[in-house]
Amino acid sequence: MEAFLILWDGLWASFAAVIQIGIIAIPVMVIIEFAKEYHWIEKITFLTKPITKLLNLSEHAIFPLTVGLTFGLILGAGVLIQTAREGNISLRDLFLLNVFLSICHGVVEETMLFVAIGVNGLILVTLRLFLALLVTLVVARVFYRNPVNQPQVIRG
Amino acid sequence: MTKKTALETLGSGIKAGVGLTFEMAKVVIPTYLIVSILDSMGIITFLATFFAPVMQFVGLSGEAAIALSLGYLLNPYAAIGMMLSLSLPIREITILAMMLCIAHSLPLELMVNRKTGIKIGAFLPMRIGLSFLSGLILHICL
């Protein structure tokens, strides 16, 4: 009987939590869908341009960085692979973009999940962005002091 | 690719949102139930005592270690299910959320990094290290 009550309570509580997440997730996903369809990404690249300037990345890095930052690592990596295939990105830029994006990606969707359970999203985004910038900058300074700008071509 | 109308875009957005909620439900509800059963048997408390010393470092209780591991290995959804089921205080939820934002779904995401054609050897320690650093920062600031 006690086990039944635990299950029943758990079922209700977790169901309520999922509904709460859905209330936030559905509008956010609609916005993301519009952003993809109407190429809003190209309109917000001015926001990410300072990041590429700071890290001394080439212009070709702006698009994959913006896509990864807003839509997530998988989409960002997809664009990154495409950019690399076209031979437009150096190994240095490719590595640094991976470092940055692995720490900070998909900020819309991932932050939203935690905002839905009551966390202050501003703290999450700010600290994450700051740490990603800091670490990438350190990696750039330590390992890539002399930028090698040979394009890296991925085959396959 | 043909251009979608605004209505079609709205439709696919809603579909994606419902899909995401459904994906969450599939993970959050079972995790929540399993955790509450394990908790009632005292197993969570038992495991938590092992992790307590490490978790103390970032201001979390021992139970949080299990949510953190679930997030690192599987995905944030499973971790959220666990966090809700343990009804942790909001301060701990915030610290955990921060740590999980920096490092989650590691096996999957590291493979994605590797697919872009780079060596990923340093990525696992980097993300877990940063995850704990971010937790420590919030532990000090909050």
Side-chain angles (χ1 to χ4, degrees):
Chain A
M1 194 58 211
E2 201 200 351
F4 178 77
L5 274 178
I6 290 168
L7 278 178
W8 185 247
D9 283 348
L11 210 56
W12 272 114
S14 54
F15 190 70
V18 168
I19 296 291
Q20 198 185 332
I21 289 162
I23 289 171
I24 296 186
I26 295 168
V28 170
M29 294 314 275
V30 168
I31 294 169
I32 290 182
E33 206 62 36
F34 271 93
K36 279 184 194 159
E37 194 59 34
Y38 292 91
H39 306 285
W40 290 352
I41 278 295
E42 281 141 40
K43 287 164 197 149
I44 58 161
T45 47
F46 71 93
L47 289 170
T48 46
K49 223 170 179 165
I51 300 176
T52 56
K53 282 262 164 63
L54 185 67
L55 298 169
N56 199 13
L57 299 171
S58 84
E59 281 213 343
H60 297 288
I62 298 173
F63 191 60
L65 177 73
T66 318
V67 171
L69 210 47
T70 38
F71 297 144
L73 191 62
I74 295 175
L75 266 179
V79 178
L80 208 52
I81 291 168
Q82 194 57 40
T83 317
R85 274 195 192 144
E86 288 159 7
N88 284 329
I89 203 157
S90 67
L91 186 55
R92 171 189 183 271
D93 288 7
L94 190 64
F95 193 79
L96 293 181
L97 275 175
N98 265 288
V99 170
F100 186 90
L101 285 180
S102 76
I103 302 165
C104 193
H105 56 253
V107 288
V108 184
E109 193 184 315
E110 288 176 6
T111 309
M112 165 200 86
L113 292 179
F114 292 110
V115 169
I117 60 165
V119 177
N120 181 341
L122 201 62
I123 298 178
L124 300 182
V125 177
T126 319
L127 189 53
R128 205 175 170 199
L129 209 56
F130 171 75
L131 286 175
L133 267 176
L134 188 72
V135 170
T136 319
L137 208 55
V138 169
V139 174
R141 287 286 151 84
V142 175
F143 295 99
Y144 292 100
R145 260 173 299 180
N146 310 309
V148 183
N149 283 318
Q150 271 174 350
Q152 173 74 8
V153 182
I154 297 180
R155 282 169 240 290
Chain B
M1 210 171 80
T2 50
K3 191 98 184 136
K4 280 189 215 161
T5 64
L7 203 64
E8 280 170 336
T9 312
L10 179 70
S12 46
I14 292 171
K15 217 171 123 187
V18 172
L20 175 66
T21 312
F22 205 71
E23 284 304 306
M24 293 269 319
K26 280 201 294 196
V27 182
V28 170
I29 295 172
T31 315
Y32 196 111
L33 293 180
I34 291 167
V35 170
S36 44
I37 291 168
L38 292 179
D39 197 26
S40 74
M41 300 194 301
I43 291 173
I44 300 285
T45 326
F46 179 72
L47 286 173
T49 48
F50 279 107
F51 294 112
V54 189
M55 289 288 108
Q56 223 175 7
F57 178 67
V58 287
L60 295 174
S61 50
E63 288 95 340
I66 309 158
L68 198 60
S69 324
L70 275 179
Y72 282 173
L73 293 169
L74 287 174
N75 49 48
Y77 310 160
I80 287 173
M82 168 112 201
M83 281 151 81
L84 292 170
S85 160
L86 291 174
S87 46
L88 296 169
I90 188 69
R91 182 179 186 272
E92 287 197 29
I93 291 182
T94 306
I95 295 175
L96 256 180
M98 187 69 240
M99 295 177 75
L100 284 167
C101 266
I102 304 249
H104 54 252
S105 327
L106 292 170
L108 173 81
E109 291 196 346
L110 291 180
M111 290 319 284
V112 173
N113 283 129
R114 207 174 75 159
K115 261 207 137 79
T116 67
I118 55 148
K119 292 201 174 75
I120 53 160
F123 279 65
L124 183 67
M126 177 187 81
R127 286 187 74 180
I128 293 187
L130 274 177
S131 171
F132 272 84
L133 177 67
S134 68
L136 185 65
I137 293 172
L138 288 195
H139 178 37
I140 293 166
C141 295
L142 290 181

